[in-house]
Amino acid sequence: MKRRNFLFAPMVLVTAPTWANPTQSDNDLPPNTIIHVVNFWLKKDISEKDKKDFVGFFEELRKIDTIKTLNYGIPAPTNARAVVDNSFDYTLIVTFKDLKDITIYETHPIHLKAIEKYQHFWTKVMVKDTSIIK
């Protein structure tokens, strides 16, 4: 039996994230989901290494079991407009199933210990909590 040699090109599958789909399912964020958004302004005199070390704060919070999702990032380089405030250094976005779960998070020992460990990095923190009503 004669063997055939085939060349296989690697296949790359790219899919758009669910948030990019304008017909996103209503089941993605059920009613009563809490979206916890926290902006951090770090001290101006800290080093780039300190800024990178600061993300350890977010990674420690990830261990809290009432958290559904946890993401963090830096200001996006969007167009400057009067309504855009990109003066912060980091944003934390956490989702919780409901008010009960965020209440547990607020006083959770891991959360309190992480605040104590990392608060020397920041000068200002602003929290915006949203309850999904759809």
Side-chain angles (χ1 to χ4, degrees), residues 18 21-33 68 132-134:
T18 56
N21 183 353
T23 58
Q24 183 175 359
S25 167
D26 285 344
N27 295 328
D28 290 328
L29 288 175
N32 302 318
T33 297
K68 285 178 56 177
I132 299 300
I133 59 172
K134 63 176 179 174

Side-chain angles (χ1 to χ4, degrees), residues 34-97:
I34 303 295
I35 302 173
H36 179 66
V37 179
V38 187
N39 287 337
F40 295 87
W41 286 261
L42 301 183
K43 292 179 179 177
K44 296 299 178 199
D45 61 346
I46 67 172
S47 69
E48 286 303 311
K49 180 190 179 309
D50 286 342
K51 282 184 178 182
K52 289 178 182 170
D53 289 346
F54 176 71
V55 301
F57 175 66
F58 308 131
E59 293 302 324
E60 287 190 30
L61 297 178
R62 197 180 294 281
K63 301 172 190 172
I64 301 173
D65 60 358
T66 61
I67 291 175
K68 285 178 56 177
T69 64
L70 185 149
N71 294 280
Y72 54 90
I74 58 174
T78 53
N79 295 320
R81 298 180 304 151
V83 296
V84 175
D85 176 3
N86 281 345
S87 65
F88 59 91
D89 293 290
Y90 285 98
T91 297
L92 170 67
I93 304 168
V94 183
T95 60
F96 298 93
K97 184 177 121 192

Side-chain angles (χ1 to χ4, degrees), residues 15 33 48 56 122-123:
T15 58
T33 297
E48 286 303 311
W122 64 69
T123 59

